[in-house]
Amino acid sequence: MKPTLFVLAAGMGSRYGGLKQLDGVGPHGETIMDYSIYDALKTGFGKVVFVIRKDFEQDFREKVMSKYEGHVPVEVVFQSTDDLPEGYTCPADRTKPWGTNHAVLMGKDAIKEPFAVINADDFYGRNAFEVIADELSRPHPEKGDYCMVGFRVGNTMTENGSVARGVCSTSPEGYLTGVIERTAISYDNDHNIVFTDEDDKVQTLEPNTPVSMNLWGFTPDYFDYSEREFKKFLDEKIDTPKAEFFIPLCIDALIHNGEAKVKVLDTDSRWFGVTYAADRQGVVDKLAALHAEGLYPERLF
């Protein structure tokens, strides 16, 4: 059974000042999503599911989904703040989405096979899809047998400001033991990779330190675990307007209660994306170079 690619696209344009996922950055106007889907198909994925906001549906179907017809089966599901488990009601003043793991939950009825979760606006690279496709394509007889691609932090930086990364710790066997979100990782004057910790101390990260770029691999049992953990989250945080139910929050709970293990997969892929408007030209240049090297054809779709 071929794995499915689940693309988180409900948060379109929240930082970059527009629908950055629809911004053409390739030589023929390709979006970053186009490259992820092309790489996924090349490495063995068999279906694509997008989670979007309902108010983007017409634009999204016309500008995004239509180009994949004839290449891969595509479905769309929707994330909204009022889509909560039975017995819960969204507070009237809630405007912020419920977070990435709530977005994942929206795929429950559309996905019945192993699946990878990606952000719509991140370029992950061919090797990242190769390693997760290999892992998802093997038998998974037990529940809670998951994975994530651990990018080397040195391959995920921008020269245009700080980045937020989930810094991972792993067991000697290569399984995830924790993810700590560091919201301001940057280069210092000596080009070391640094962040400031909770005690206001500057800490240095080795370039090979694994970080989460939201490239996760799950089997469908993850949906049931997620729904249970989301209810726990709502019991505590439903009236906190900015609280979000993130993937690492759910994963951390499952790891620590022994219900899941997450293999951290190494990749030599270099991540890039448009975190800041100033990043755009660099992305355009890097993609043009990859086309020139022959990694991608003149037109993807």
Side-chain angles (χ1 to χ4, degrees), residues 195-256:
F195 68 91
T196 302
D197 67 13
E198 300 84 356
D199 299 321
D200 212 30
K201 292 182 179 178
V202 175
Q203 302 287 353
T204 301
L205 289 172
E206 291 300 318
N208 285 339
T209 302
V211 295
S212 169
M213 300 303 299
N214 235 27
L215 179 44
W216 299 88
F218 298 118
T219 47
D221 56 277
Y222 185 68
F223 292 119
D224 291 333
Y225 286 135
S226 291
E227 188 159 12
R228 184 195 70 194
E229 294 302 315
F230 187 43
K231 290 177 181 176
K232 293 180 183 178
F233 168 87
L234 292 173
D235 289 340
E236 294 181 11
K237 302 285 183 65
I238 192 168
D239 292 318
T240 305
K242 293 188 177 182
E244 293 184 71
F245 183 50
F246 294 116
I247 294 171
L249 191 67
C250 184
I251 285 294
D252 190 62
L254 298 181
I255 289 173
H256 284 95

